Amino acid sequence: MLRGSRIGLRARHEADVPVLQAELYDDVVTRSRADSRPWRPIAPGSAASPYAVADPGDEAACFSVVSLEEDDKLAGEALLWGIDTHNRSAHLGISLRPMFRRRGLAVDVLRVLCDYGFAVRGLHRLQLETLADNTAMIRAASRAGFTQEGKLRSSAWANGGFVDEVVFGLLADAWRA
């Protein structure tokens, strides 16, 4: 397990899948704001679930987030995706269960993901994108050391309308400093 000060990142367990599916994926409004792909109904236990346990791959690293303060209770998911080994870059994503939001855990999750990406995977650049009105994620990214690099105007379709996205980046040198 990768440990932060308040959270841990561990491999996804089969028992995590129904909880993540029910609380993160089946919340259509929230999921539609967090994923660029359109929401569609997925039956419980389906291999099509974005949380289905899969073998490790080179293009993504999927973790379950656990709360170290609450006996490793499942708090959400975190991932590095779009890992590009040639350019040594990847994207980050996190999603916390409703009961774990607004506790300041996202900063710790991002820091542990960065440590994994830079120290373990040897990446040079990490990037995250979020909707421009997602103030909690914008604040967490800034506190974790990311720099806002730009805004993509009307680039995301979310819940019936186009919204802006902001792009954040962090380089390995800045992380080490």
Side-chain angles (χ1 to χ4, degrees), residues 86-108:
H86 176 71
N87 292 304
R88 294 177 46 204
S89 64
H91 298 261
L92 291 94
I94 69 170
S95 186
L96 297 175
R97 296 172 59 200
M99 68 177 66
F100 289 95
R101 295 176 190 155
R102 295 176 191 75
R103 294 187 186 184
L105 297 177
V107 176
D108 202 24

Side-chain angles (χ1 to χ4, degrees), residues 55-73:
D55 290 332
D58 290 332
E59 296 177 4
C62 301
F63 299 96
S64 285
V65 178
V66 295
S67 172
L68 299 177
E69 301 168 332
E70 297 181 46
D71 296 322
D72 294 350
K73 186 171 184 177

Side-chain angles (χ1 to χ4, degrees), residues 105-128:
L105 297 177
V107 176
D108 202 24
V109 174
L110 288 174
R111 287 179 177 152
V112 175
L113 273 177
C114 289
D115 193 51
Y116 173 74
F118 293 133
V120 177
R121 297 296 294 256
L123 299 175
H124 171 71
R125 174 186 167 75
L126 295 175
Q127 177 174 316
L128 66 86

Side-chain angles (χ1 to χ4, degrees), residues 12 14 51-57 62:
R12 178 98 19 96
E14 287 293 341
Y51 308 107
V53 176
D55 290 332
C62 301

